Amino acid sequence: MMRPSIVKVIRDLKTDYVKSLLLVLAIAIGVFGIGSILGGYAVLTREMARNYLGTEPADATIRIEGGTIDQKLLDGVTRFPGVLRAERHATVSARMKVGEDWYPLLLFVIDDFRNIRTNRFTKLTGAWPPPAGTMLVERTAFRVMKTTEGGSVTVKTPNGTAKTITVSGTVHDPGLAPAWQEETGYGYITLATLHWLGERQGFDELRVSFAGSEKSARAIEGKSDAIAQWIGTQGYRVHEVQIPPPLRHPHQGQMNAVLTLFVVFGFLTLLLSAILVSTSIATLMTKQVREIGVMKTIGAGSRQIAALYLLMLLIVCLLAVVPGIHLSRFSAGMLVQQIAGLLNLEIIDASIPHWVPMVQAAAGVLIPMAAAALPVVRASRISVLEALNNFGVSQTRPADSSLARLRILGDTFTLSLRNAFRNRSRVMLTLGLLAAGGAMFVTALNLSEAWEVSLRKIYQHRHYDLEVRLAYPSGSDSLIRRISQLPGIKEVEAWGYSPTSFTEGRRYDLVHTYPDKGHGSFMLLGLPLPTTLVDFPLLEGSWLDPGNADGVVLNHMAQAQAPLLKVGDPVSLSLDGRPTRWRIAGFVEDLGSPASAYVSADAFARLSGARGLTNMLRISFTSRDRTTILQKTRQIEEALEKEGGVVAKTIPISMLRTAMGEHMEVLIRSLLAMAFLMAAVGALGLMSTMGMSVIERTRELGVMRAIGATPRAIGRLVVWEGEIVGVLSLFITIPSSVLLSAAIGRLVGNMAFRTPLPLTISVHAVLAWAGIVLLGSALATTYPAWRASRITPREALTYQ
């Protein structure tokens, strides 16, 4: 036979099966949330390292100016002390024709496809190496290139003519961001194919990996500098040394921050579930106060009684943990696939480590047990006299008497308002649950709107619609005159641009750019003063002054690379490999751009020796419609060709916005998913609170029925209580969401833009949550109201 204690536990669970299911559901939601995030975090961090480090990324790339790296130089670098691997490469910025429009295309020229030693990529399909006149394409690029394997693409390099090249196969290169994020194609070719396309250059990049476990940027910089100086003695000129953050995927920092944020919210969801469990256990023990008194009368001790209820909670936790763990595996897999798509990862091993379900099980049992310990211990210590004298009616506190004097919406509302504050600690817990869920919900929508506000700033502070970069400097006056004659052109400005870096006595640029030449890049831009095409918000200092020849304004991305710089400080920036001296005039917020330093066009031309020439045009149109911009871009390219200008790249502002918008889509969607989980826990908490309230007032409700209250009036009384609690939670939700939005907006903004997202309060989010609260409160109180309305006077007055 079963022990009486076990029989009682099973009976209690079965007696109020709805309440038991709510407990199981609440804990399961928390376990599910933690497992989904921890499982995704574990798999993604492991696979990100495996994918990226599996490419054997070069520690440094040394670019040689105006020369071709021969085998002798390569062998010399390979034998250099501390060098593990060395390989020669070339990366050419070309263009590809998609439909009627030209898009950027990065061509990676490989020395030996059969023995790639650094920055490896994986063959998926096609010939290896690709035959001359063909190219391999990174798997994510088909979405941009609008072609398929076996198809063809029209390609034009800076010195060549447009040629049609066949796509002979596909590769996976996890060291690159997805092509559709950057709206850029990725192609892999041989040197023979590059020459077939019209380029005469050879390999001009040395990619080097160093031996040893020390992989700090400073150590790599020192070793690279030694090699660069040696190369100089061999008759070569080093133009640039690229040292990306060691052993780090281009998006690793962002993803770690996002996943850490999700883990925090996952545990917060479980904590809210635990609070709900604590409230629910208190409900049960309130109902069984006299039962506890009887057990004590027949000899049960406080410890035995506490152990009995904790055993029941343990069973509930175990019932919740099992489905929570299993369901979280599916959602973790979905999260992994979505973020893997954002990072261009190939998930080789999708298995979730054993420690994840162990953490889930421990958290799903220990956190609810710890939360419920206080009400269990407190109730188990009740004296026999106090327990047997309990009649299920709470005493009204003085504050309730003051509430009772209010006559706002009638007696029913006033009574509901008083009852809502009958147990202040309980109502505060419920308000906390609802407010936490609401704050998270509103915050997610606030962040979504703040992200859109930030993206709109790309248009607001850039009054141009198209940026045209030329392969070689051309006469600025003739280009401006020619383009200005086209219909629909509003303004044309000639700018200068050059890759740059903060120099420290070196004869070459030292940058922290990845092989895609985008992530980590730093540009020096010369603009005409005054300019009408940009209007960046000042963070500190002042904008460029035409009379200040050595003034430079750094954008916030450049400031992040040298955070100790202040307004008025001197700074040295490279220009065509030569150091130039400037004085900082100010800092601006420049969303959407890489690290940039702005100087006057006159100073730029004087120092670069390109007076009267330009290598970049920025153009505004009378219409900012996307279709119009694409059409005008074609006309401009044709006009530039007639003037002898060689277009290297065209960047519509719409392309920049699209590329940035894709990066954080999963973050916003995942925050919304977490918000709905927390909102569900809050609704369950309200239902539990109202159920407890009905139990406590069983005899009181019976008396009301006895003196004439109808079941409908009783039900309406309970529903009003729920609605009052729901409305009051809004007064906590809104200020909490503001604080949370500011904190998370700072984290996400610094992660994505190196500047906080603007604090944006979404009116739609507040109204939506208010509607959800009102509807959810009504639904959450439906069962307690139905239960209260069914209490007969006889049942209530004989309640024990």
Side-chain angles (χ1 to χ4, degrees):
M1 291 181 62
M2 287 188 185
R3 296 178 57 184
S5 58
I6 302 298
V7 173
K8 172 176 169 46
V9 167
I10 295 175
R11 188 202 66 191
D12 287 344
L13 289 173
K14 292 172 62 178
T15 300
D16 195 346
Y17 63 89
V18 174
K19 181 69 69 178
S20 300
L21 287 176
L22 284 178
L23 286 175
V24 171
L25 179 60
I27 298 173
I29 287 175
V31 172
F32 169 82
I34 285 181
S36 301
I37 302 304
L38 282 183
Y41 182 92
V43 173
L44 285 168
T45 50
R46 180 187 66 213
E47 294 302 303
M48 183 185 296
R50 177 181 293 177
N51 274 248
Y52 184 63
L53 298 182
T55 67
E56 300 290 352
D59 293 322
T61 298
I62 302 173
R63 293 189 61 219
I64 308 298
E65 184 170 327
T68 297
I69 299 171
D70 57 21
Q71 190 63 44
K72 180 181 177 181
L73 181 66
L74 178 62
D75 292 340
V77 172
T78 302
R79 292 191 298 268
F80 209 86
V83 171
L84 181 64
R85 286 181 295 272
E87 192 172 36
R88 56 185 184 178
H89 285 254
T91 305
V92 177
S93 296
R95 307 176 76 212
M96 60 182 181
K97 195 170 187 180
V98 180
E100 297 298 319
D101 303 306
W102 290 91
Y103 285 80
L105 171 66
L106 272 182
L107 291 175
F108 299 99
V109 186
I110 308 301
D111 188 10
D112 184 359
F113 274 85
R114 293 186 176 89
N115 185 29
I116 302 175
R117 309 190 66 197
T118 62
N119 298 96
R120 297 172 181 168
F121 46 90
T122 305
K123 171 191 172 183
L124 299 180
T125 61
W128 192 269
T134 71
M135 71 175 174
L136 301 173
V137 169
E138 214 287 324
R139 64 179 187 176
T140 61
F142 286 115
R143 178 170 161 183
V144 179
M145 301 173 77
K146 309 296 184 188
T147 189
T148 58
E149 183 180 349
S152 60
V153 180
T154 300
V155 174
K156 188 177 184 302
T157 58
N159 296 300
T161 58
K163 286 193 175 183
T164 300
I165 187 170
T166 302
V167 177
S168 59
T170 59
V171 303
H172 172 225
D173 190 346
L176 297 174
W180 47 264
Q181 277 186 4
E182 311 299 327
E183 294 204 30
T184 299
Y186 301 136
Y188 301 78
I189 60 175
T190 63
L191 186 61
T193 299
L194 180 65
H195 291 164
W196 174 76
L197 288 170
E199 296 297 319
R200 299 271 64 89
Q201 75 167 74
F203 298 106
D204 61 353
E205 296 178 350
L206 271 172
R207 295 186 182 176
V208 184
S209 295
F210 298 107
S213 57
E214 187 179 5
K215 293 288 185 178
S216 68
R218 183 173 294 276
I220 294 172
E221 181 181 329
K223 295 175 182 178
S224 301
D225 187 63
I227 295 176
Q229 291 184 29
W230 179 82
I231 290 175
T233 65
Q234 305 302 305
Y236 294 86
R237 181 186 174 191
V238 174
H239 173 69
E240 182 180 79
V241 175
Q242 301 171 358
I243 302 178
L247 307 179
R248 288 177 63 84
H249 187 280
H251 290 163
Q252 185 167 337
Q254 291 92 322
M255 284 303 103
N256 284 346
V258 169
L259 292 173
T260 301
L261 180 65
F262 287 168
V263 169
V264 171
F265 284 131
F267 275 99
L268 181 58
T269 301
L270 183 57
L271 181 60
L272 293 178
S273 301
I275 295 173
L276 171 58
V277 168
S278 173
T279 305
S280 300
I281 289 296
T283 302
L284 178 63
M285 301 196 77
T286 298
K287 182 178 180 181
Q288 297 188 359
V289 166
R290 303 190 74 190
E291 217 173 285
I292 293 171
V294 172
M295 287 190 287
K296 284 200 166 187
T297 302
I298 61 177
S302 297
R303 288 188 179 181
Q304 290 175 298
I305 293 172
L308 189 68
Y309 286 99
L310 290 176
L311 173 62
M312 182 181 67
L313 179 57
L314 177 62
I315 294 173
V316 169
C317 290
L318 294 177
L319 290 174
V321 163
V322 173
I325 289 176
H326 285 288
L327 290 174
S328 68
R329 289 181 175 271
F330 295 102
S331 59
M334 294 174 62
L335 178 64
V336 165
Q337 291 302 323
Q338 288 212 29
I339 296 185
L342 280 179
L343 299 178
N344 193 20
L345 302 180
E346 180 69 26
I347 304 301
I348 301 170
D349 180 9
S351 63
I352 295 175
H354 296 303
W355 63 265
V356 173
M358 292 174 64
V359 170
Q360 284 181 271
V365 172
L366 296 180
I367 294 179
M369 295 283 281
L374 180 60
V376 167
V377 171
R378 186 170 53 193
S380 66
R381 289 182 176 178
I382 192 172
S383 66
V384 174
L385 179 62
E386 187 179 356
L388 296 179
N389 285 334
N390 182 278
F391 296 99
V393 181
S394 299
Q395 296 298 318
T396 302
R397 301 189 183 202
D400 297 332
S401 300
S402 63
L403 291 173
R405 290 194 294 270
L406 295 176
R407 292 291 184 270
I408 302 174
L409 297 176
D411 293 335
T412 301
F413 175 82
T414 302
L415 186 58
S416 298
L417 183 61
R418 188 201 68 183
N419 288 333
F421 286 91
R422 183 186 294 269
N423 188 314
R424 292 183 181 84
S425 60
R426 188 189 309 144
V427 77
M428 292 309 297
L429 279 176
T430 306
L431 288 172
L433 284 170
L434 282 174
M440 190 60 213
F441 179 88
V442 175
T443 295
L445 293 182
N446 283 348
L447 288 179
S448 179
E449 189 160 318
W451 183 261
E452 288 298 322
V453 168
S454 295
L455 292 180
R456 286 197 294 271
K457 286 184 179 180
I458 295 174
Y459 285 101
Q460 291 170 357
H461 302 302
R462 290 173 175 81
H463 307 300
Y464 64 92
D465 302 292
L466 179 68
E467 179 181 299
V468 181
R469 294 185 183 179
L470 304 176
Y472 306 102
S474 300
S476 56
D477 292 340
S478 60
L479 293 181
I480 291 175
R481 186 168 53 252
R482 176 70 175 177
I483 294 174
S484 298
Q485 293 171 353
L486 297 175
I489 302 299
K490 184 178 179 181
E491 187 75 28
V492 183
E493 287 185 356
W495 288 42
Y497 86 95
S498 173
T500 190
S501 66
F502 294 109
T503 61
E504 298 176 2
R506 291 179 295 267
R507 296 182 179 180
Y508 57 83
D509 290 349
L510 176 64
V511 297
H512 300 285
T513 310
Y514 283 86
D516 63 0
K517 297 187 176 181
H519 292 85
S521 61
F522 189 7
M523 302 297 296
L524 181 64
L525 298 168
L527 65 157
L529 296 178
T531 179
T532 61
L533 296 187
V534 294
D535 180 22
F536 298 125
L538 273 170
L539 299 176
E540 189 179 354
S542 61
W543 183 239
L544 294 172
D545 182 355
N548 185 6
D550 67 345
V552 61
V553 171
L554 302 179
N555 72 355
H556 67 281
M557 295 291 285
Q559 185 182 18
Q561 292 190 14
L564 298 181
L565 289 176
K566 305 183 297 297
V567 172
D569 285 352
V571 63
S572 179
L573 298 171
S574 65
L575 177 58
D576 292 331
R578 301 185 306 274
T580 58
R581 302 293 294 178
W582 309 89
R583 189 166 296 278
I584 298 176
F587 299 99
V588 294
E589 182 184 73
D590 179 10
L591 296 180
S593 296
S596 302
Y598 295 95
V599 300
S600 72
D602 289 341
F604 184 94
R606 174 172 47 83
L607 293 171
S608 63
R611 289 188 180 276
L613 301 177
T614 184
N615 57 2
M616 186 169 78
L617 298 170
R618 288 187 167 176
I619 307 163
S620 65
F621 303 134
T622 54
S623 172
R624 306 197 86 170
D625 176 70
R626 182 180 176 86
T627 303
T628 301
I629 291 173
L630 291 175
Q631 182 183 28
K632 296 299 177 187
T633 301
R634 299 183 203 120
Q635 295 175 2
I636 289 170
E637 290 177 349
E638 292 173 0
L640 289 174
E641 286 182 5
K642 292 179 180 178
E643 288 293 320
V646 179
V647 177
K649 195 174 188 179
T650 56
I651 308 174
I653 294 301
S654 58
M655 181 185 295
L656 179 62
R657 187 191 186 283
T658 300
M660 293 187 63
E662 295 282 358
H663 280 69
M664 301 303 287
E665 183 180 353
V666 169
L667 169 64
I668 301 301
R669 287 205 301 254
S670 299
L671 283 175
L672 282 173
M674 295 299 296
F676 278 110
L677 282 180
M678 297 180 73
V681 173
L684 292 175
L686 181 58
M687 182 181 291
S688 175
T689 295
M690 296 313 301
M692 177 184 289
S693 178
V694 169
I695 291 171
E696 282 187 340
R697 303 204 316 274
T698 297
R699 302 193 72 179
E700 178 183 320
L701 296 174
V703 171
M704 294 175 64
R705 289 291 309 278
I707 61 176
T710 64
R712 183 177 180 182
I714 296 293
R716 190 166 61 247
L717 180 70
V718 176
V719 171
W720 267 114
E721 284 185 47
E723 294 290 354
I724 289 170
V725 173
V727 170
L728 290 176
S729 73
L730 294 177
F731 292 95
I732 306 176
T733 295
I734 295 173
S736 299
S737 68
V738 173
L739 297 176
L740 198 58
S741 297
I744 301 179
R746 178 174 294 275
L747 171 66
V748 173
N750 287 332
M751 176 183 64
F753 301 120
R754 296 293 181 92
T755 186
L757 291 178
L759 179 57
T760 305
I761 307 302
S762 172
V763 176
H764 295 97
V766 174
L767 293 178
W769 179 249
I772 291 173
V773 163
L774 294 176
L775 179 60
S777 298
L779 294 176
T781 53
T782 297
Y783 174 72
W786 173 81
R787 183 172 181 175
S789 66
R790 288 175 58 87
I791 297 176
T792 64
R794 181 179 178 278
E795 290 173 336
L797 296 175
T798 57
Y799 171 78
Q800 299 294 324

